[in-house]
mmCIF file of all heavy atoms in Angstrom:
data_model
loop_
_atom_site.group_PDB
_atom_site.id
_atom_site.type_symbol
_atom_site.label_atom_id
_atom_site.label_comp_id
_atom_site.label_asym_id
_atom_site.label_seq_id
_atom_site.Cartn_x
_atom_site.Cartn_y
_atom_site.Cartn_z
ATOM 1 N N GLN H 929 5.851 -3.177 26.057
ATOM 2 C CA GLN H 929 5.683 -2.255 24.932
ATOM 3 C C GLN H 929 7.044 -1.756 24.406
ATOM 4 O O GLN H 929 7.188 -1.508 23.215
ATOM 5 C CB GLN H 929 4.808 -1.087 25.326
ATOM 6 C CG GLN H 929 3.326 -1.460 25.475
ATOM 7 C CD GLN H 929 2.736 -2.130 24.265
ATOM 8 O OE1 GLN H 929 2.185 -3.219 24.343
ATOM 9 N NE2 GLN H 929 2.846 -1.495 23.100
ATOM 10 N N LEU H 930 8.025 -1.622 25.272
ATOM 11 C CA LEU H 930 9.369 -1.246 24.824
ATOM 12 C C LEU H 930 9.922 -2.310 23.865
ATOM 13 O O LEU H 930 10.491 -1.981 22.819
ATOM 14 C CB LEU H 930 10.308 -1.055 26.014
ATOM 15 C CG LEU H 930 10.484 0.353 26.523
ATOM 16 C CD1 LEU H 930 11.297 0.359 27.803
ATOM 17 C CD2 LEU H 930 11.126 1.265 25.489
ATOM 18 N N ALA H 931 9.724 -3.571 24.223
ATOM 19 C CA ALA H 931 10.203 -4.669 23.363
ATOM 20 C C ALA H 931 9.466 -4.650 22.054
ATOM 21 O O ALA H 931 10.079 -4.818 20.984
ATOM 22 C CB ALA H 931 10.030 -6.018 24.100
ATOM 23 N N ILE H 932 8.169 -4.441 22.085
ATOM 24 C CA ILE H 932 7.371 -4.394 20.843
ATOM 25 C C ILE H 932 7.830 -3.239 19.997
ATOM 26 O O ILE H 932 8.041 -3.379 18.766
ATOM 27 C CB ILE H 932 5.858 -4.283 21.168
ATOM 28 C CG1 ILE H 932 5.364 -5.623 21.723
ATOM 29 C CG2 ILE H 932 5.053 -3.877 19.939
ATOM 30 C CD1 ILE H 932 3.967 -5.572 22.331
ATOM 31 N N ARG H 933 8.004 -2.055 20.599
ATOM 32 C CA ARG H 933 8.391 -0.893 19.827
ATOM 33 C C ARG H 933 9.777 -1.052 19.198
ATOM 34 O O ARG H 933 9.991 -0.606 18.069
ATOM 35 C CB ARG H 933 8.310 0.389 20.687
ATOM 36 C CG ARG H 933 8.427 1.649 19.856
ATOM 37 C CD ARG H 933 8.308 2.889 20.667
ATOM 38 N NE ARG H 933 9.505 3.069 21.470
ATOM 39 C CZ ARG H 933 9.653 4.032 22.386
ATOM 40 N NH1 ARG H 933 8.676 4.879 22.611
ATOM 41 N NH2 ARG H 933 10.760 4.138 23.100
ATOM 42 N N LYS H 934 10.696 -1.670 19.900
ATOM 43 C CA LYS H 934 12.029 -1.912 19.337
ATOM 44 C C LYS H 934 11.944 -2.729 18.043
ATOM 45 O O LYS H 934 12.627 -2.452 17.070
ATOM 46 C CB LYS H 934 12.938 -2.589 20.371
ATOM 47 C CG LYS H 934 13.472 -1.643 21.420
ATOM 48 C CD LYS H 934 14.339 -2.366 22.422
ATOM 49 C CE LYS H 934 14.743 -1.425 23.528
ATOM 50 N NZ LYS H 934 15.471 -2.089 24.595
ATOM 51 N N LYS H 935 11.114 -3.757 18.065
ATOM 52 C CA LYS H 935 10.933 -4.605 16.887
ATOM 53 C C LYS H 935 10.332 -3.792 15.723
ATOM 54 O O LYS H 935 10.745 -3.912 14.580
ATOM 55 C CB LYS H 935 10.049 -5.815 17.194
ATOM 56 C CG LYS H 935 10.734 -6.862 18.004
ATOM 57 C CD LYS H 935 9.801 -8.033 18.275
ATOM 58 C CE LYS H 935 10.463 -9.014 19.241
ATOM 59 N NZ LYS H 935 9.526 -10.054 19.661
ATOM 60 N N LEU H 936 9.313 -2.992 16.066
ATOM 61 C CA LEU H 936 8.663 -2.158 15.026
ATOM 62 C C LEU H 936 9.680 -1.178 14.442
ATOM 63 O O LEU H 936 9.721 -0.981 13.237
ATOM 64 C CB LEU H 936 7.468 -1.413 15.620
ATOM 65 C CG LEU H 936 6.323 -2.290 16.091
ATOM 66 C CD1 LEU H 936 5.328 -1.466 16.897
ATOM 67 C CD2 LEU H 936 5.630 -2.948 14.906
ATOM 68 N N PHE H 937 10.468 -0.568 15.298
ATOM 69 C CA PHE H 937 11.458 0.420 14.868
ATOM 70 C C PHE H 937 12.441 -0.184 13.874
ATOM 71 O O PHE H 937 12.817 0.422 12.888
ATOM 72 C CB PHE H 937 12.197 0.958 16.097
ATOM 73 C CG PHE H 937 13.302 1.937 15.772
ATOM 74 C CD1 PHE H 937 12.994 3.252 15.477
ATOM 75 C CD2 PHE H 937 14.634 1.555 15.750
ATOM 76 C CE1 PHE H 937 13.983 4.175 15.182
ATOM 77 C CE2 PHE H 937 15.628 2.454 15.469
ATOM 78 C CZ PHE H 937 15.301 3.771 15.185
ATOM 79 N N LEU H 938 12.826 -1.449 14.119
ATOM 80 C CA LEU H 938 13.797 -2.132 13.263
ATOM 81 C C LEU H 938 13.200 -2.605 11.948
ATOM 82 O O LEU H 938 13.905 -2.739 10.952
ATOM 83 C CB LEU H 938 14.407 -3.320 13.986
ATOM 84 C CG LEU H 938 15.294 -2.974 15.208
ATOM 85 C CD1 LEU H 938 15.683 -4.233 15.946
ATOM 86 C CD2 LEU H 938 16.519 -2.223 14.741
ATOM 87 N N ASN H 939 11.891 -2.814 11.930
ATOM 88 C CA ASN H 939 11.238 -3.420 10.742
ATOM 89 C C ASN H 939 10.416 -2.474 9.892
ATOM 90 O O ASN H 939 10.017 -2.841 8.787
ATOM 91 C CB ASN H 939 10.354 -4.598 11.188
ATOM 92 C CG ASN H 939 11.193 -5.717 11.757
ATOM 93 O OD1 ASN H 939 12.194 -6.106 11.171
ATOM 94 N ND2 ASN H 939 10.792 -6.248 12.893
ATOM 95 N N ILE H 940 10.113 -1.280 10.374
ATOM 96 C CA ILE H 940 9.283 -0.352 9.590
ATOM 97 C C ILE H 940 10.156 0.845 9.219
ATOM 98 O O ILE H 940 10.615 1.587 10.081
ATOM 99 C CB ILE H 940 8.042 0.122 10.402
ATOM 100 C CG1 ILE H 940 7.186 -1.079 10.770
ATOM 101 C CG2 ILE H 940 7.234 1.128 9.594
ATOM 102 C CD1 ILE H 940 6.022 -0.739 11.687
ATOM 103 N N ASN H 941 10.348 1.018 7.936
ATOM 104 C CA ASN H 941 11.242 2.071 7.441
ATOM 105 C C ASN H 941 10.516 3.375 7.138
ATOM 106 O O ASN H 941 10.963 4.458 7.504
ATOM 107 C CB ASN H 941 12.008 1.610 6.211
ATOM 108 C CG ASN H 941 12.937 0.475 6.528
ATOM 109 O OD1 ASN H 941 13.532 0.474 7.578
ATOM 110 N ND2 ASN H 941 13.071 -0.480 5.628
ATOM 111 N N ASN H 942 9.402 3.297 6.440
ATOM 112 C CA ASN H 942 8.719 4.506 5.981
ATOM 113 C C ASN H 942 7.572 4.835 6.933
ATOM 114 O O ASN H 942 6.456 4.327 6.778
ATOM 115 C CB ASN H 942 8.218 4.310 4.543
ATOM 116 C CG ASN H 942 7.766 5.605 3.947
ATOM 117 O OD1 ASN H 942 8.060 6.678 4.457
ATOM 118 N ND2 ASN H 942 7.056 5.503 2.830
ATOM 119 N N VAL H 943 7.824 5.717 7.889
ATOM 120 C CA VAL H 943 6.804 5.997 8.890
ATOM 121 C C VAL H 943 5.993 7.282 8.595
ATOM 122 O O VAL H 943 4.854 7.409 9.047
ATOM 123 C CB VAL H 943 7.395 6.109 10.304
ATOM 124 C CG1 VAL H 943 7.958 4.780 10.762
ATOM 125 C CG2 VAL H 943 8.422 7.206 10.403
ATOM 126 N N PHE H 944 6.562 8.178 7.831
ATOM 127 C CA PHE H 944 5.888 9.455 7.580
ATOM 128 C C PHE H 944 5.078 9.358 6.291
ATOM 129 O O PHE H 944 5.637 9.205 5.217
ATOM 130 C CB PHE H 944 6.907 10.599 7.462
ATOM 131 C CG PHE H 944 6.283 11.941 7.274
ATOM 132 C CD1 PHE H 944 5.722 12.618 8.346
ATOM 133 C CD2 PHE H 944 6.198 12.491 5.998
ATOM 134 C CE1 PHE H 944 5.124 13.859 8.137
ATOM 135 C CE2 PHE H 944 5.598 13.748 5.813
ATOM 136 C CZ PHE H 944 5.077 14.431 6.884
ATOM 137 N N ASP H 945 3.763 9.500 6.438
ATOM 138 C CA ASP H 945 2.863 9.503 5.297
ATOM 139 C C ASP H 945 2.271 10.903 5.150
ATOM 140 O O ASP H 945 1.382 11.263 5.924
ATOM 141 C CB ASP H 945 1.769 8.433 5.472
ATOM 142 C CG ASP H 945 0.852 8.324 4.260
ATOM 143 O OD1 ASP H 945 0.695 9.327 3.514
ATOM 144 O OD2 ASP H 945 0.263 7.239 4.083
ATOM 145 N N LYS H 946 2.798 11.668 4.225
ATOM 146 C CA LYS H 946 2.346 13.048 4.031
ATOM 147 C C LYS H 946 0.844 13.142 3.852
ATOM 148 O O LYS H 946 0.184 14.054 4.378
ATOM 149 C CB LYS H 946 3.071 13.655 2.829
ATOM 150 C CG LYS H 946 2.705 15.102 2.507
ATOM 151 C CD LYS H 946 3.439 15.556 1.247
ATOM 152 C CE LYS H 946 2.976 16.883 0.767
ATOM 153 N NZ LYS H 946 1.599 16.951 0.372
ATOM 154 N N ASN H 947 0.250 12.193 3.116
ATOM 155 C CA ASN H 947 -1.189 12.215 2.875
ATOM 156 C C ASN H 947 -1.997 12.085 4.171
ATOM 157 O O ASN H 947 -3.029 12.733 4.348
ATOM 158 C CB ASN H 947 -1.602 11.124 1.876
ATOM 159 C CG ASN H 947 -1.038 11.406 0.507
ATOM 160 O OD1 ASN H 947 -0.862 12.556 0.073
ATOM 161 N ND2 ASN H 947 -0.715 10.363 -0.225
ATOM 162 N N LEU H 948 -1.525 11.229 5.051
ATOM 163 C CA LEU H 948 -2.189 11.071 6.368
ATOM 164 C C LEU H 948 -2.089 12.364 7.171
ATOM 165 O O LEU H 948 -3.082 12.778 7.797
ATOM 166 C CB LEU H 948 -1.573 9.920 7.160
ATOM 167 C CG LEU H 948 -2.111 8.533 6.894
ATOM 168 C CD1 LEU H 948 -1.361 7.509 7.744
ATOM 169 C CD2 LEU H 948 -3.584 8.442 7.174
ATOM 170 N N PHE H 949 -0.922 12.964 7.159
ATOM 171 C CA PHE H 949 -0.781 14.240 7.906
ATOM 172 C C PHE H 949 -1.638 15.335 7.277
ATOM 173 O O PHE H 949 -2.240 16.120 7.992
ATOM 174 C CB PHE H 949 0.683 14.637 8.019
ATOM 175 C CG PHE H 949 1.382 13.954 9.140
ATOM 176 C CD1 PHE H 949 2.041 12.755 8.946
ATOM 177 C CD2 PHE H 949 1.300 14.478 10.431
ATOM 178 C CE1 PHE H 949 2.655 12.087 10.013
ATOM 179 C CE2 PHE H 949 1.911 13.793 11.505
ATOM 180 C CZ PHE H 949 2.568 12.606 11.273
ATOM 181 N N ASP H 950 -1.717 15.372 5.974
ATOM 182 C CA ASP H 950 -2.609 16.352 5.334
ATOM 183 C C ASP H 950 -4.045 16.138 5.732
ATOM 184 O O ASP H 950 -4.803 17.087 5.962
ATOM 185 C CB ASP H 950 -2.449 16.304 3.795
ATOM 186 C CG ASP H 950 -1.146 16.915 3.316
ATOM 187 O OD1 ASP H 950 -0.509 17.665 4.100
ATOM 188 O OD2 ASP H 950 -0.765 16.652 2.173
ATOM 189 N N GLU H 951 -4.440 14.864 5.803
ATOM 190 C CA GLU H 951 -5.820 14.543 6.251
ATOM 191 C C GLU H 951 -6.051 14.999 7.681
ATOM 192 O O GLU H 951 -7.077 15.574 8.008
ATOM 193 C CB GLU H 951 -6.032 13.033 6.102
ATOM 194 C CG GLU H 951 -7.430 12.577 6.452
ATOM 195 C CD GLU H 951 -7.558 11.049 6.364
ATOM 196 O OE1 GLU H 951 -6.857 10.419 5.559
ATOM 197 O OE2 GLU H 951 -8.409 10.528 7.125
ATOM 198 N N LEU H 952 -5.077 14.709 8.560
ATOM 199 C CA LEU H 952 -5.198 15.171 9.949
ATOM 200 C C LEU H 952 -5.243 16.681 10.012
ATOM 201 O O LEU H 952 -6.090 17.255 10.732
ATOM 202 C CB LEU H 952 -4.017 14.647 10.775
ATOM 203 C CG LEU H 952 -3.939 15.176 12.206
ATOM 204 C CD1 LEU H 952 -5.094 14.636 13.061
ATOM 205 C CD2 LEU H 952 -2.610 14.842 12.859
ATOM 206 N N PHE H 953 -4.365 17.342 9.294
ATOM 207 C CA PHE H 953 -4.307 18.810 9.326
ATOM 208 C C PHE H 953 -5.625 19.427 8.863
ATOM 209 O O PHE H 953 -6.090 20.424 9.405
ATOM 210 C CB PHE H 953 -3.150 19.330 8.475
ATOM 211 C CG PHE H 953 -1.767 19.016 9.075
ATOM 212 C CD1 PHE H 953 -0.640 19.243 8.329
ATOM 213 C CD2 PHE H 953 -1.624 18.483 10.352
ATOM 214 C CE1 PHE H 953 0.630 18.985 8.854
ATOM 215 C CE2 PHE H 953 -0.379 18.216 10.892
ATOM 216 C CZ PHE H 953 0.746 18.465 10.122
ATOM 217 N N LYS H 954 -6.242 18.820 7.881
ATOM 218 C CA LYS H 954 -7.535 19.311 7.406
ATOM 219 C C LYS H 954 -8.604 19.117 8.479
ATOM 220 O O LYS H 954 -9.412 19.998 8.773
ATOM 221 C CB LYS H 954 -7.919 18.557 6.109
ATOM 222 C CG LYS H 954 -9.176 19.097 5.453
ATOM 223 C CD LYS H 954 -9.418 18.392 4.129
ATOM 224 C CE LYS H 954 -10.657 18.942 3.486
ATOM 225 N NZ LYS H 954 -10.974 18.275 2.221
ATOM 226 N N LYS H 955 -8.576 17.956 9.110
ATOM 227 C CA LYS H 955 -9.551 17.602 10.160
ATOM 228 C C LYS H 955 -9.472 18.552 11.354
ATOM 229 O O LYS H 955 -10.509 18.929 11.893
ATOM 230 C CB LYS H 955 -9.282 16.157 10.628
ATOM 231 C CG LYS H 955 -10.282 15.591 11.557
ATOM 232 C CD LYS H 955 -9.920 14.167 11.967
ATOM 233 C CE LYS H 955 -10.073 13.239 10.787
ATOM 234 N NZ LYS H 955 -10.845 12.041 11.054
ATOM 235 N N ILE H 956 -8.254 18.997 11.715
ATOM 236 C CA ILE H 956 -8.122 19.855 12.897
ATOM 237 C C ILE H 956 -8.001 21.316 12.553
ATOM 238 O O ILE H 956 -7.814 22.142 13.417
ATOM 239 C CB ILE H 956 -6.910 19.405 13.754
ATOM 240 C CG1 ILE H 956 -5.595 19.597 13.014
ATOM 241 C CG2 ILE H 956 -7.088 18.009 14.273
ATOM 242 C CD1 ILE H 956 -4.351 19.274 13.826
ATOM 243 N N ASN H 957 -8.144 21.615 11.236
ATOM 244 C CA ASN H 957 -8.047 23.009 10.771
ATOM 245 C C ASN H 957 -6.683 23.602 11.115
ATOM 246 O O ASN H 957 -6.554 24.691 11.695
ATOM 247 C CB ASN H 957 -9.180 23.845 11.354
ATOM 248 C CG ASN H 957 -9.530 25.026 10.498
ATOM 249 O OD1 ASN H 957 -8.964 25.206 9.402
ATOM 250 N ND2 ASN H 957 -10.415 25.863 10.972
ATOM 251 N N PHE H 958 -5.649 22.891 10.745
ATOM 252 C CA PHE H 958 -4.258 23.187 11.058
ATOM 253 C C PHE H 958 -3.839 24.616 10.701
ATOM 254 O O PHE H 958 -3.034 25.212 11.381
ATOM 255 C CB PHE H 958 -3.359 22.180 10.317
ATOM 256 C CG PHE H 958 -1.914 22.194 10.684
ATOM 257 C CD1 PHE H 958 -1.470 21.693 11.898
ATOM 258 C CD2 PHE H 958 -0.966 22.722 9.819
ATOM 259 C CE1 PHE H 958 -0.110 21.694 12.239
ATOM 260 C CE2 PHE H 958 0.374 22.721 10.133
ATOM 261 C CZ PHE H 958 0.811 22.211 11.321
ATOM 262 N N ASP H 959 -4.410 25.120 9.605
ATOM 263 C CA ASP H 959 -4.011 26.469 9.151
ATOM 264 C C ASP H 959 -4.309 27.560 10.180
ATOM 265 O O ASP H 959 -3.708 28.635 10.132
ATOM 266 C CB ASP H 959 -4.733 26.819 7.835
ATOM 267 C CG ASP H 959 -4.192 25.997 6.667
ATOM 268 O OD1 ASP H 959 -3.075 25.464 6.785
ATOM 269 O OD2 ASP H 959 -4.910 25.881 5.641
ATOM 270 N N THR H 960 -5.217 27.287 11.124
ATOM 271 C CA THR H 960 -5.594 28.303 12.122
ATOM 272 C C THR H 960 -4.649 28.306 13.337
ATOM 273 O O THR H 960 -4.802 29.130 14.228
ATOM 274 C CB THR H 960 -7.040 28.120 12.591
ATOM 275 O OG1 THR H 960 -7.145 26.841 13.265
ATOM 276 C CG2 THR H 960 -8.024 28.171 11.427
ATOM 277 N N PHE H 961 -3.707 27.386 13.378
ATOM 278 C CA PHE H 961 -2.783 27.283 14.505
ATOM 279 C C PHE H 961 -1.398 27.759 14.081
ATOM 280 O O PHE H 961 -0.999 27.640 12.931
ATOM 281 C CB PHE H 961 -2.686 25.835 14.999
ATOM 282 C CG PHE H 961 -3.994 25.295 15.530
ATOM 283 C CD1 PHE H 961 -4.819 24.538 14.712
ATOM 284 C CD2 PHE H 961 -4.381 25.566 16.818
ATOM 285 C CE1 PHE H 961 -6.013 24.052 15.193
ATOM 286 C CE2 PHE H 961 -5.602 25.097 17.299
ATOM 287 C CZ PHE H 961 -6.400 24.317 16.492
ATOM 288 N N ASN H 962 -0.641 28.321 15.043
ATOM 289 C CA ASN H 962 0.674 28.852 14.738
ATOM 290 C C ASN H 962 1.819 28.112 15.422
ATOM 291 O O ASN H 962 2.876 27.933 14.864
ATOM 292 C CB ASN H 962 0.762 30.336 15.092
ATOM 293 C CG ASN H 962 -0.114 31.181 14.186
ATOM 294 O OD1 ASN H 962 -0.086 30.983 12.974
ATOM 295 N ND2 ASN H 962 -0.882 32.070 14.763
ATOM 296 N N VAL H 963 1.602 27.752 16.698
ATOM 297 C CA VAL H 963 2.687 27.181 17.505
ATOM 298 C C VAL H 963 2.420 25.672 17.708
ATOM 299 O O VAL H 963 1.428 25.279 18.314
ATOM 300 C CB VAL H 963 2.812 27.893 18.878
ATOM 301 C CG1 VAL H 963 3.958 27.308 19.684
ATOM 302 C CG2 VAL H 963 2.998 29.383 18.688
ATOM 303 N N ILE H 964 3.336 24.889 17.191
ATOM 304 C CA ILE H 964 3.204 23.431 17.196
ATOM 305 C C ILE H 964 4.377 22.844 17.952
ATOM 306 O O ILE H 964 5.525 23.181 17.669
ATOM 307 C CB ILE H 964 3.179 22.847 15.775
ATOM 308 C CG1 ILE H 964 2.303 23.670 14.826
ATOM 309 C CG2 ILE H 964 2.812 21.361 15.794
ATOM 310 C CD1 ILE H 964 0.854 23.767 15.173
ATOM 311 N N SER H 965 4.102 21.941 18.887
ATOM 312 C CA SER H 965 5.219 21.253 19.549
ATOM 313 C C SER H 965 5.315 19.838 19.000
ATOM 314 O O SER H 965 4.339 19.194 18.665
ATOM 315 C CB SER H 965 5.035 21.197 21.061
ATOM 316 O OG SER H 965 4.151 20.184 21.452
ATOM 317 N N SER H 966 6.551 19.398 18.902
ATOM 318 C CA SER H 966 6.840 18.008 18.491
ATOM 319 C C SER H 966 7.928 17.535 19.448
ATOM 320 O O SER H 966 8.115 18.094 20.521
ATOM 321 C CB SER H 966 7.267 17.971 17.039
ATOM 322 O OG SER H 966 7.495 16.653 16.612
ATOM 323 N N PHE H 967 8.673 16.541 19.032
ATOM 324 C CA PHE H 967 9.756 16.024 19.851
ATOM 325 C C PHE H 967 10.837 15.474 18.934
ATOM 326 O O PHE H 967 10.599 15.199 17.772
ATOM 327 C CB PHE H 967 9.247 14.955 20.828
ATOM 328 C CG PHE H 967 8.570 13.779 20.178
ATOM 329 C CD1 PHE H 967 9.223 12.586 19.957
ATOM 330 C CD2 PHE H 967 7.230 13.864 19.789
ATOM 331 C CE1 PHE H 967 8.599 11.511 19.343
ATOM 332 C CE2 PHE H 967 6.586 12.783 19.191
ATOM 333 C CZ PHE H 967 7.266 11.615 18.977
ATOM 334 N N VAL H 968 12.034 15.349 19.468
ATOM 335 C CA VAL H 968 13.122 14.731 18.745
ATOM 336 C C VAL H 968 13.134 13.270 19.196
ATOM 337 O O VAL H 968 13.345 13.002 20.385
ATOM 338 C CB VAL H 968 14.478 15.404 19.063
ATOM 339 C CG1 VAL H 968 15.609 14.668 18.392
ATOM 340 C CG2 VAL H 968 14.455 16.881 18.617
ATOM 341 N N SER H 969 12.876 12.378 18.264
ATOM 342 C CA SER H 969 12.735 10.975 18.613
ATOM 343 C C SER H 969 14.072 10.432 19.149
ATOM 344 O O SER H 969 15.143 10.799 18.661
ATOM 345 C CB SER H 969 12.241 10.155 17.436
ATOM 346 O OG SER H 969 12.917 10.535 16.250
ATOM 347 N N VAL H 970 13.955 9.588 20.156
ATOM 348 C CA VAL H 970 15.114 8.927 20.759
ATOM 349 C C VAL H 970 14.891 7.419 20.767
ATOM 350 O O VAL H 970 13.739 6.954 20.756
ATOM 351 C CB VAL H 970 15.422 9.431 22.185
ATOM 352 C CG1 VAL H 970 15.787 10.907 22.185
ATOM 353 C CG2 VAL H 970 14.270 9.182 23.145
ATOM 354 N N ASN H 971 15.969 6.696 20.815
ATOM 355 C CA ASN H 971 15.940 5.224 20.893
ATOM 356 C C ASN H 971 15.013 4.656 19.825
ATOM 357 O O ASN H 971 15.228 4.886 18.656
ATOM 358 C CB ASN H 971 15.548 4.793 22.302
ATOM 359 C CG ASN H 971 16.514 5.357 23.331
ATOM 360 O OD1 ASN H 971 17.711 5.397 23.124
ATOM 361 N ND2 ASN H 971 15.984 5.813 24.450
ATOM 362 N N SER H 972 13.975 3.932 20.219
ATOM 363 C CA SER H 972 13.115 3.285 19.238
ATOM 364 C C SER H 972 11.810 4.050 18.987
ATOM 365 O O SER H 972 10.877 3.491 18.405
ATOM 366 C CB SER H 972 12.794 1.856 19.710
ATOM 367 O OG SER H 972 12.108 1.893 20.943
#
């Protein structure tokens, strides 16, 4: 999977789709949550 992800990382430029995140946020009722954790991406 590391090898697969490295190839994907090199070949896919536009990963953030605002519309998809808006759909997810609506599905999970995002407005009712305050504290969100994410991560700082490393390597691939």
Side-chain angles (χ1 to χ4, degrees):
Q929 289 305 125
L930 265 172
I932 289 169
R933 192 177 71 185
K934 282 179 186 174
K935 286 180 186 172
L936 295 169
F937 178 79
L938 293 172
N939 293 314
I940 300 174
N941 295 323
N942 192 15
V943 295
F944 182 80
D945 184 333
K946 180 183 171 298
N947 293 328
L948 273 179
F949 277 92
D950 286 343
E951 183 183 330
L952 173 69
F953 291 170
K954 186 175 181 182
K955 188 180 290 229
I956 64 176
N957 205 5
F958 188 75
D959 290 341
T960 63
F961 297 96
N962 292 315
V963 181
I964 316 299
S965 81
S966 182
F967 57 99
V968 175
S969 45
V970 296
N971 303 319
S972 61

